[in-house]
Amino acid sequence: MVNMQAEVTDEALGVNQTVTLAGDIEGIANAHAEQMISVASNIIMSAISDKMVDENTTLEGIVVNYADNDGGVSANTITVTGDNITAVVHGHTSGSTFDITPVTDFWGETMVTVTVADNLFPNDMSSTTFMLTVNSDGVEPTSPAPEQPIEPETPKSDSGGSLGFLSLLALAGFGLGRRRKTH
């Protein structure tokens, strides 16, 4: 039996690590073995139950409970992510709350992920997910008014307006007058 010890650094918290063993065994060529070890995070979160909210409203006061086994050495940050939602987090300690607002006119289901991460060692984190059901308000969104096409400007006529014909007559007379002088 071989006893082995390894030191787990803060950077390894919450990360899967590969341990490779190599050794010479009498009568056998070099022996190698690899083992994947999941290094636990210092942060343990409580589950958050599935939630329901009406369309175009905000669900307020969802509580985040967690324990951080680092003894309060560093602060943590709570983040909330998911499709078709925005979230506002009120504090970052255990017992803090957050509010969720679905995007305008969205209804249906979306998965929400809540993560607590250590500020000094961000890989030391824990996450939980829950399903948010957004109930339709039964009102279909009004479509925006169709855009009116922009009509191209009609080029202005260079006819000279209502007196343009007089200009043409004057030019014709000028042309006839020049012709007479040359004969």
Side-chain angles (χ1 to χ4, degrees), residues 25-128:
I25 301 175
E26 191 176 316
I28 302 176
N30 289 340
H32 285 68
E34 272 192 9
Q35 180 67 45
M36 182 68 67
I37 297 175
S38 296
V39 179
S41 170
N42 278 330
I43 301 169
I44 302 166
M45 288 185 68
S46 296
I48 298 175
S49 62
D50 292 344
K51 305 291 180 196
M52 195 174 295
V53 66
D54 291 330
E55 179 181 354
N56 299 320
T57 62
T58 298
L59 180 60
E60 298 176 338
I62 302 168
V63 179
V64 179
N65 288 310
Y66 66 90
D68 188 352
N69 296 326
D70 74 354
V73 171
S74 63
N76 299 306
T77 298
I78 298 172
T79 56
V80 180
T81 57
D83 293 335
N84 300 307
I85 64 154
T86 58
V88 176
V89 178
H90 306 286
H92 296 283
T93 59
S94 183
S96 295
T97 63
F98 64 92
D99 306 332
I100 293 181
T101 304
V103 297
T104 303
D105 297 326
F106 169 77
W107 58 270
E109 291 185 326
T110 188
M111 184 70 67
V112 177
T113 302
V114 180
T115 302
V116 177
D118 186 290
N119 290 350
L120 290 178
F121 305 102
N123 54 310
D124 182 12
M125 71 173 115
S126 183
S127 295
T128 188

Side-chain angles (χ1 to χ4, degrees), residues 109-159:
E109 291 185 326
T110 188
M111 184 70 67
V112 177
T113 302
V114 180
T115 302
V116 177
D118 186 290
N119 290 350
L120 290 178
F121 305 102
N123 54 310
D124 182 12
M125 71 173 115
S126 183
S127 295
T128 188
T129 59
F130 66 92
M131 186 62 68
L132 177 68
T133 301
V134 181
N135 297 318
S136 173
D137 61 9
V139 177
E140 290 300 316
T142 55
S143 300
E147 290 187 29
Q148 297 295 327
I150 299 173
E151 294 184 24
E153 282 188 37
T154 21
K156 293 184 178 180
S157 170
D158 290 336
S159 67

